[in-house]
PDB file of all heavy atoms in Angstrom:
ATOM      1  N   ILE A  75     -11.741  -5.025 -13.416  1.00 96.00           N
ATOM      2  CA  ILE A  75     -12.041  -4.019 -12.392  1.00 96.00           C
ATOM      3  C   ILE A  75     -12.638  -2.804 -13.081  1.00 96.00           C
ATOM      4  O   ILE A  75     -12.057  -2.256 -14.027  1.00 96.00           O
ATOM      5  CB  ILE A  75     -10.779  -3.614 -11.617  1.00 96.00           C
ATOM      6  CG1 ILE A  75     -10.202  -4.813 -10.857  1.00 96.00           C
ATOM      7  CG2 ILE A  75     -11.098  -2.471 -10.637  1.00 96.00           C
ATOM      8  CD1 ILE A  75      -8.886  -4.513 -10.150  1.00 96.00           C
ATOM      9  N   LEU A  76     -13.808  -2.395 -12.601  1.00 97.00           N
ATOM     10  CA  LEU A  76     -14.470  -1.201 -13.113  1.00 97.00           C
ATOM     11  C   LEU A  76     -14.433  -0.141 -12.022  1.00 97.00           C
ATOM     12  O   LEU A  76     -14.926  -0.377 -10.918  1.00 97.00           O
ATOM     13  CB  LEU A  76     -15.908  -1.510 -13.520  1.00 97.00           C
ATOM     14  CG  LEU A  76     -16.687  -0.343 -14.138  1.00 97.00           C
ATOM     15  CD1 LEU A  76     -17.651  -0.841 -15.207  1.00 97.00           C
ATOM     16  CD2 LEU A  76     -17.483   0.438 -13.074  1.00 97.00           C
ATOM     17  N   ILE A  77     -13.834   0.995 -12.323  1.00 97.00           N
ATOM     18  CA  ILE A  77     -13.841   2.127 -11.389  1.00 97.00           C
ATOM     19  C   ILE A  77     -15.166   2.866 -11.526  1.00 97.00           C
ATOM     20  O   ILE A  77     -15.594   3.202 -12.633  1.00 97.00           O
ATOM     21  CB  ILE A  77     -12.665   3.078 -11.669  1.00 97.00           C
ATOM     22  CG1 ILE A  77     -11.333   2.418 -11.289  1.00 97.00           C
ATOM     23  CG2 ILE A  77     -12.833   4.389 -10.904  1.00 97.00           C
ATOM     24  CD1 ILE A  77     -10.115   3.259 -11.630  1.00 97.00           C
ATOM     25  N   LEU A  78     -15.822   3.109 -10.391  1.00 96.00           N
ATOM     26  CA  LEU A  78     -17.084   3.853 -10.354  1.00 96.00           C
ATOM     27  C   LEU A  78     -16.897   5.005  -9.372  1.00 96.00           C
ATOM     28  O   LEU A  78     -16.844   4.787  -8.154  1.00 96.00           O
ATOM     29  CB  LEU A  78     -18.224   2.937  -9.908  1.00 96.00           C
ATOM     30  CG  LEU A  78     -19.628   3.539  -9.915  1.00 96.00           C
ATOM     31  CD1 LEU A  78     -20.051   3.925 -11.329  1.00 96.00           C
ATOM     32  CD2 LEU A  78     -20.631   2.558  -9.312  1.00 96.00           C
ATOM     33  N   THR A  79     -16.782   6.222  -9.900  1.00 94.00           N
ATOM     34  CA  THR A  79     -16.363   7.342  -9.057  1.00 94.00           C
ATOM     35  C   THR A  79     -16.945   8.662  -9.543  1.00 94.00           C
ATOM     36  O   THR A  79     -17.395   8.765 -10.694  1.00 94.00           O
ATOM     37  CB  THR A  79     -14.818   7.431  -9.057  1.00 94.00           C
ATOM     38  OG1 THR A  79     -14.397   8.521  -8.247  1.00 94.00           O
ATOM     39  CG2 THR A  79     -14.285   7.623 -10.470  1.00 94.00           C
ATOM     40  N   ALA A  80     -16.906   9.644  -8.648  1.00 94.00           N
ATOM     41  CA  ALA A  80     -17.332  10.992  -9.026  1.00 94.00           C
ATOM     42  C   ALA A  80     -16.208  11.779  -9.688  1.00 94.00           C
ATOM     43  O   ALA A  80     -16.446  12.869 -10.215  1.00 94.00           O
ATOM     44  CB  ALA A  80     -17.831  11.741  -7.784  1.00 94.00           C
ATOM     45  N   ARG A  81     -14.987  11.264  -9.669  1.00 93.00           N
ATOM     46  CA  ARG A  81     -13.858  11.955 -10.293  1.00 93.00           C
ATOM     47  C   ARG A  81     -13.969  11.823 -11.809  1.00 93.00           C
ATOM     48  O   ARG A  81     -13.780  10.735 -12.352  1.00 93.00           O
ATOM     49  CB  ARG A  81     -12.548  11.360  -9.792  1.00 93.00           C
ATOM     50  CG  ARG A  81     -12.379  11.470  -8.282  1.00 93.00           C
ATOM     51  CD  ARG A  81     -11.092  10.823  -7.805  1.00 93.00           C
ATOM     52  NE  ARG A  81     -11.011  10.788  -6.362  1.00 93.00           N
ATOM     53  CZ  ARG A  81     -10.013  10.225  -5.675  1.00 93.00           C
ATOM     54  NH1 ARG A  81      -9.006   9.651  -6.342  1.00 93.00           N
ATOM     55  NH2 ARG A  81     -10.029  10.224  -4.355  1.00 93.00           N
ATOM     56  N   ASP A  82     -14.277  12.945 -12.468  1.00 92.00           N
ATOM     57  CA  ASP A  82     -14.701  12.850 -13.866  1.00 92.00           C
ATOM     58  C   ASP A  82     -13.793  13.551 -14.860  1.00 92.00           C
ATOM     59  O   ASP A  82     -14.156  13.722 -16.033  1.00 92.00           O
ATOM     60  CB  ASP A  82     -16.118  13.393 -14.021  1.00 92.00           C
ATOM     61  CG  ASP A  82     -16.243  14.846 -13.579  1.00 92.00           C
ATOM     62  OD1 ASP A  82     -15.232  15.425 -13.126  1.00 92.00           O
ATOM     63  OD2 ASP A  82     -17.362  15.397 -13.685  1.00 92.00           O
ATOM     64  N   THR A  83     -12.592  13.974 -14.464  1.00 93.00           N
ATOM     65  CA  THR A  83     -11.718  14.611 -15.441  1.00 93.00           C
ATOM     66  C   THR A  83     -11.036  13.548 -16.297  1.00 93.00           C
ATOM     67  O   THR A  83     -10.883  12.388 -15.886  1.00 93.00           O
ATOM     68  CB  THR A  83     -10.630  15.454 -14.757  1.00 93.00           C
ATOM     69  OG1 THR A  83      -9.705  14.589 -14.077  1.00 93.00           O
ATOM     70  CG2 THR A  83     -11.255  16.415 -13.751  1.00 93.00           C
ATOM     71  N   TRP A  84     -10.588  13.955 -17.478  1.00 91.00           N
ATOM     72  CA  TRP A  84      -9.924  12.980 -18.338  1.00 91.00           C
ATOM     73  C   TRP A  84      -8.609  12.514 -17.715  1.00 91.00           C
ATOM     74  O   TRP A  84      -8.200  11.364 -17.909  1.00 91.00           O
ATOM     75  CB  TRP A  84      -9.703  13.557 -19.736  1.00 91.00           C
ATOM     76  CG  TRP A  84      -8.697  14.678 -19.833  1.00 91.00           C
ATOM     77  CD1 TRP A  84      -8.944  16.012 -19.806  1.00 91.00           C
ATOM     78  CD2 TRP A  84      -7.269  14.535 -19.964  1.00 91.00           C
ATOM     79  NE1 TRP A  84      -7.781  16.724 -19.912  1.00 91.00           N
ATOM     80  CE2 TRP A  84      -6.725  15.845 -20.020  1.00 91.00           C
ATOM     81  CE3 TRP A  84      -6.407  13.459 -20.055  1.00 91.00           C
ATOM     82  CZ2 TRP A  84      -5.369  16.092 -20.149  1.00 91.00           C
ATOM     83  CZ3 TRP A  84      -5.042  13.703 -20.188  1.00 91.00           C
ATOM     84  CH2 TRP A  84      -4.539  14.995 -20.233  1.00 91.00           C
ATOM     85  N   GLU A  85      -7.968  13.413 -16.918  1.00 93.00           N
ATOM     86  CA  GLU A  85      -6.726  13.016 -16.253  1.00 93.00           C
ATOM     87  C   GLU A  85      -6.983  11.889 -15.246  1.00 93.00           C
ATOM     88  O   GLU A  85      -6.199  10.942 -15.159  1.00 93.00           O
ATOM     89  CB  GLU A  85      -6.096  14.213 -15.524  1.00 93.00           C
ATOM     90  CG  GLU A  85      -5.585  15.302 -16.455  1.00 93.00           C
ATOM     91  CD  GLU A  85      -6.607  16.411 -16.657  1.00 93.00           C
ATOM     92  OE1 GLU A  85      -7.813  16.159 -16.401  1.00 93.00           O
ATOM     93  OE2 GLU A  85      -6.204  17.518 -17.057  1.00 93.00           O
ATOM     94  N   ASP A  86      -8.091  11.990 -14.493  1.00 94.00           N
ATOM     95  CA  ASP A  86      -8.444  10.936 -13.541  1.00 94.00           C
ATOM     96  C   ASP A  86      -8.673   9.610 -14.265  1.00 94.00           C
ATOM     97  O   ASP A  86      -8.249   8.542 -13.795  1.00 94.00           O
ATOM     98  CB  ASP A  86      -9.712  11.316 -12.773  1.00 94.00           C
ATOM     99  CG  ASP A  86      -9.471  12.430 -11.756  1.00 94.00           C
ATOM    100  OD1 ASP A  86      -8.391  12.446 -11.147  1.00 94.00           O
ATOM    101  OD2 ASP A  86     -10.372  13.268 -11.593  1.00 94.00           O
ATOM    102  N   LYS A  87      -9.347   9.675 -15.413  1.00 94.00           N
ATOM    103  CA  LYS A  87      -9.628   8.456 -16.164  1.00 94.00           C
ATOM    104  C   LYS A  87      -8.339   7.804 -16.666  1.00 94.00           C
ATOM    105  O   LYS A  87      -8.185   6.578 -16.595  1.00 94.00           O
ATOM    106  CB  LYS A  87     -10.562   8.771 -17.337  1.00 94.00           C
ATOM    107  CG  LYS A  87     -11.947   9.237 -16.894  1.00 94.00           C
ATOM    108  CD  LYS A  87     -12.814   9.626 -18.078  1.00 94.00           C
ATOM    109  CE  LYS A  87     -14.163  10.165 -17.613  1.00 94.00           C
ATOM    110  NZ  LYS A  87     -15.018  10.589 -18.752  1.00 94.00           N
ATOM    111  N   VAL A  88      -7.430   8.626 -17.151  1.00 94.00           N
ATOM    112  CA  VAL A  88      -6.157   8.089 -17.633  1.00 94.00           C
ATOM    113  C   VAL A  88      -5.402   7.411 -16.493  1.00 94.00           C
ATOM    114  O   VAL A  88      -4.872   6.298 -16.648  1.00 94.00           O
ATOM    115  CB  VAL A  88      -5.305   9.211 -18.270  1.00 94.00           C
ATOM    116  CG1 VAL A  88      -3.878   8.723 -18.509  1.00 94.00           C
ATOM    117  CG2 VAL A  88      -5.927   9.662 -19.582  1.00 94.00           C
ATOM    118  N   VAL A  89      -5.343   8.071 -15.338  1.00 95.00           N
ATOM    119  CA  VAL A  89      -4.634   7.500 -14.187  1.00 95.00           C
ATOM    120  C   VAL A  89      -5.261   6.167 -13.776  1.00 95.00           C
ATOM    121  O   VAL A  89      -4.557   5.184 -13.514  1.00 95.00           O
ATOM    122  CB  VAL A  89      -4.645   8.489 -13.000  1.00 95.00           C
ATOM    123  CG1 VAL A  89      -4.138   7.799 -11.724  1.00 95.00           C
ATOM    124  CG2 VAL A  89      -3.783   9.695 -13.311  1.00 95.00           C
ATOM    125  N   GLY A  90      -6.576   6.130 -13.735  1.00 94.00           N
ATOM    126  CA  GLY A  90      -7.263   4.903 -13.333  1.00 94.00           C
ATOM    127  C   GLY A  90      -7.028   3.752 -14.289  1.00 94.00           C
ATOM    128  O   GLY A  90      -6.736   2.620 -13.877  1.00 94.00           O
ATOM    129  N   LEU A  91      -7.130   4.026 -15.581  1.00 94.00           N
ATOM    130  CA  LEU A  91      -6.933   2.974 -16.579  1.00 94.00           C
ATOM    131  C   LEU A  91      -5.481   2.501 -16.617  1.00 94.00           C
ATOM    132  O   LEU A  91      -5.199   1.306 -16.754  1.00 94.00           O
ATOM    133  CB  LEU A  91      -7.389   3.467 -17.953  1.00 94.00           C
ATOM    134  CG  LEU A  91      -8.895   3.730 -18.083  1.00 94.00           C
ATOM    135  CD1 LEU A  91      -9.210   4.432 -19.396  1.00 94.00           C
ATOM    136  CD2 LEU A  91      -9.692   2.433 -17.981  1.00 94.00           C
ATOM    137  N   GLU A  92      -4.551   3.442 -16.477  1.00 94.00           N
ATOM    138  CA  GLU A  92      -3.143   3.053 -16.498  1.00 94.00           C
ATOM    139  C   GLU A  92      -2.742   2.307 -15.226  1.00 94.00           C
ATOM    140  O   GLU A  92      -1.770   1.551 -15.229  1.00 94.00           O
ATOM    141  CB  GLU A  92      -2.258   4.288 -16.691  1.00 94.00           C
ATOM    142  CG  GLU A  92      -2.348   4.864 -18.103  1.00 94.00           C
ATOM    143  CD  GLU A  92      -1.301   5.925 -18.363  1.00 94.00           C
ATOM    144  OE1 GLU A  92      -0.733   6.467 -17.389  1.00 94.00           O
ATOM    145  OE2 GLU A  92      -1.050   6.219 -19.548  1.00 94.00           O
ATOM    146  N   ALA A  93      -3.500   2.501 -14.158  1.00 93.00           N
ATOM    147  CA  ALA A  93      -3.218   1.778 -12.913  1.00 93.00           C
ATOM    148  C   ALA A  93      -3.670   0.325 -12.982  1.00 93.00           C
ATOM    149  O   ALA A  93      -3.302  -0.471 -12.121  1.00 93.00           O
ATOM    150  CB  ALA A  93      -3.897   2.472 -11.741  1.00 93.00           C
ATOM    151  N   GLY A  94      -4.485   0.003 -13.991  1.00 94.00           N
ATOM    152  CA  GLY A  94      -4.908  -1.384 -14.137  1.00 94.00           C
ATOM    153  C   GLY A  94      -6.398  -1.601 -14.228  1.00 94.00           C
ATOM    154  O   GLY A  94      -6.851  -2.748 -14.349  1.00 94.00           O
ATOM    155  N   ALA A  95      -7.210  -0.532 -14.171  1.00 95.00           N
ATOM    156  CA  ALA A  95      -8.654  -0.695 -14.326  1.00 95.00           C
ATOM    157  C   ALA A  95      -8.991  -1.075 -15.763  1.00 95.00           C
ATOM    158  O   ALA A  95      -8.294  -0.684 -16.708  1.00 95.00           O
ATOM    159  CB  ALA A  95      -9.376   0.596 -13.953  1.00 95.00           C
ATOM    160  N   ASP A  96     -10.046  -1.848 -15.919  1.00 94.00           N
ATOM    161  CA  ASP A  96     -10.484  -2.251 -17.249  1.00 94.00           C
ATOM    162  C   ASP A  96     -11.534  -1.306 -17.826  1.00 94.00           C
ATOM    163  O   ASP A  96     -11.742  -1.275 -19.040  1.00 94.00           O
ATOM    164  CB  ASP A  96     -11.054  -3.674 -17.197  1.00 94.00           C
ATOM    165  CG  ASP A  96     -10.006  -4.680 -16.778  1.00 94.00           C
ATOM    166  OD1 ASP A  96      -9.256  -5.149 -17.645  1.00 94.00           O
ATOM    167  OD2 ASP A  96      -9.925  -4.985 -15.570  1.00 94.00           O
TER     168      ASP A  96
END
Side-chain angles (χ1 to χ4, degrees):
I75 297 176
L76 183 146
I77 290 176
L78 184 63
T79 180
R81 300 178 187 177
D82 59 359
T83 69
W84 69 265
E85 293 95 340
D86 288 324
K87 295 176 183 178
V88 168
V89 170
L91 294 170
E92 289 190 342
D96 297 275

